Amino acid sequence: MIIDVHTHFVPEHLPSMANRAGGERWPVTQCVCGKADHKHVMISGKNFRTITDQCWSPQRRISDMNQEAVDTQVLSPMPELLSYWFDAKDTLDFSRYINFQLAEFIAFNPDRFYGLGMLPLQDPEMAAREIKNLKKDFGLLGVEIGTNINGKSIGDPFFTPFFAEAEAEQISIFIHALHPFGKERNVGPPLLSNFIGFTTEIGVAIASLITGGILEKFPNLKVYVSHGGGSFLSILPRLNYGWETMDDIRRIIPHPPSYYAKKIFYDTLVYDVNTITHLTNMVGVEQLMIGSDYPFSIREKFPGHWIENTDMSQADKDGITFKNALKFFNISSMKI
């Protein structure tokens, strides 16, 4: 069995927000001439991304899942929809629209889909107040958040109200790379940002959760991260050494960074079995869950099937492919 915890959703139609602050910077969907199953996502009058009905059609998605032997998907919004760069109240309205559409998608076949919504995290207190509605109004398991909110790393104490409520409500938090810094220094095509920038961005975000004291202050947070934690695999030994040698770090966190790293769950979207082995050695096999980035171009097809080419025990294989996800999301059993 395979549960894919890193897949994305875009509704077929986005609400018109042109009369709100930000105007045409709000994303809208536009038809593609002659292709009913394609849409352009337009931002500021430019095509941000062309998407297919894999983003909004549960029938199409289930067909792909059956072909690739994926039992269940956890859906979250395309990260660019998170909309932290607008007025928080407007983002709240937009979030509620996306969350409702996502809930409708899941309702088509709740045996195959779970969902994570979005919140206006540029206002952490407003986001905290909305957390209860994720479950109550939309039936979602939790929330997807960006690695940074308008340039502020997610581990900044500014976000304490959100994390406090998230821990209290025991919602699941998926941290996804968003607007990576330093992309102007990439040499080559723009898509390199997905391969280089995302890994750096998620690594810095995880480090900020540790060095900002968030995981110490809220030890029961349920957090998982995209892209296998990216560059964090290389950052962690250096952080451990810094903790051992610098009083300033130990004043923030009483335990070594590796202690907190093992509290986080990681998806397996690293495209390399040797890196998976390294990740299990660093944080433990019980912290890994399958992720594919479906349905976008850099996704891993047949996610998790590489595990049969490893020498892991069957118990470890079952953990990574579905049992760790059942535990993380507090799902009593597979629905199919």
Side-chain angles (χ1 to χ4, degrees):
M1 295 184 180
I2 290 178
I3 301 177
D4 185 350
V5 304
H6 180 173
T7 78
H8 292 299
F9 164 80
V10 183
E12 184 174 8
H13 305 288
L14 290 171
S16 174
M17 304 289 286
N19 62 336
R20 310 288 184 103
E24 66 173 7
R25 195 180 174 197
W26 286 93
V28 295
T29 51
Q30 184 181 93
C31 294
V32 177
C33 184
K35 294 185 176 181
D37 59 349
H38 284 63
K39 297 278 187 180
H40 295 315
V41 178
M42 306 296 293
I43 297 176
S44 297
K46 297 180 181 179
N47 182 16
F48 170 77
R49 175 177 290 165
T50 299
I51 59 174
T52 70
D53 60 350
Q54 293 166 304
C55 286
W56 68 80
S57 167
Q59 299 96 323
R60 171 67 187 279
R61 189 174 289 237
I62 288 172
S63 176
D64 287 349
M65 291 166 65
N66 291 342
Q67 183 179 357
E68 298 188 7
V70 172
D71 298 280
T72 304
Q73 285 187 348
V74 180
L75 289 77
S76 55
M78 181 176 73
E80 193 64 25
L81 299 180
L82 294 176
S83 301
Y84 301 136
W85 34 95
F86 300 109
D87 176 80
K89 180 59 172 66
D90 291 340
T91 298
L92 177 62
D93 292 342
F94 188 75
S95 296
R96 287 174 174 171
Y97 177 90
I98 298 296
N99 294 342
F100 175 79
Q101 294 296 322
L102 178 54
E104 290 284 290
F105 185 107
I106 293 167
F108 178 85
N109 193 332
D111 292 336
R112 304 297 295 271
F113 303 123
Y114 293 99
L116 302 171
M118 53 181 278
L119 300 169
L121 206 53
Q122 66 269 48
D123 185 333
E125 293 183 354
M126 182 183 292
R129 291 192 297 270
E130 186 70 7
I131 282 175
K132 286 185 174 67
N133 294 332
L134 291 174
K135 293 180 180 179
K136 179 171 66 73
D137 292 348
F138 305 112
L140 302 175
L141 296 177
V143 61
E144 176 190 41
I145 65 176
T147 44
N148 75 88
I149 284 72
N150 300 322
K152 192 184 295 291
S153 286
I154 197 61
D156 192 287
F158 175 75
F159 302 108
T160 296
F162 163 76
F163 286 117
E165 187 66 15
E167 183 186 56
E169 290 294 321
Q170 278 295 282
I171 66 162
S172 299
I173 301 172
F174 177 35
I175 302 179
H176 193 286
L178 177 69
H179 295 179
F181 63 90
K183 62 182 180 180
E184 72 280 356
R185 296 179 65 180
N186 292 334
V187 179
L191 192 61
L192 282 177
S193 184
N194 291 359
F195 298 104
I196 299 172
F198 277 16
T199 57
T200 305
E201 180 70 23
I202 192 67
V204 171
I206 298 169
S208 78
L209 289 173
I210 296 172
T211 59
I214 293 294
L215 296 180
E216 170 62 24
K217 189 169 185 177
F218 305 109
N220 296 315
L221 277 176
K222 298 173 62 176
V223 175
Y224 76 103
V225 297
S226 64
H227 307 98
S231 62
F232 186 67
L233 289 180
S234 297
I235 294 172
L236 182 56
R238 300 177 67 87
L239 276 183
N240 282 333
Y241 184 75
W243 183 87
E244 293 169 0
T245 58
M246 297 178 64
D247 292 339
D248 288 350
I249 299 179
R250 290 197 299 276
R251 276 193 281 268
I252 300 172
I253 48 175
H255 304 288
S258 55
Y259 168 84
Y260 303 98
K262 292 174 183 177
K263 287 178 168 287
I264 297 170
F265 283 67
Y266 304 77
D267 79 10
T268 58
L269 190 59
V270 297
Y271 312 103
D272 177 64
V273 171
N274 290 331
T275 303
I276 292 291
T277 301
H278 184 39
L279 187 55
T280 60
N281 291 337
M282 295 284 279
V283 300
V285 68
E286 66 277 5
Q287 301 304 114
L288 272 60
M289 303 186 290
I290 298 298
S292 72
D293 216 350
Y294 177 98
F296 298 135
S297 61
I298 67 170
R299 76 179 178 102
E300 179 180 82
K301 295 184 178 180
F302 294 91
H305 291 267
W306 45 262
I307 205 164
E308 296 305 325
N309 297 323
T310 72
D311 58 2
M312 293 182 187
S313 69
Q314 189 60 48
D316 287 348
K317 291 177 181 178
D318 289 345
I320 292 175
T321 54
F322 74 98
K323 286 188 175 180
N324 295 345
L326 294 179
K327 173 186 175 183
F328 178 83
F329 292 109
N330 195 29
I331 301 169
S332 60
S333 64
M334 293 287 283
K335 296 189 290 185
I336 62 174

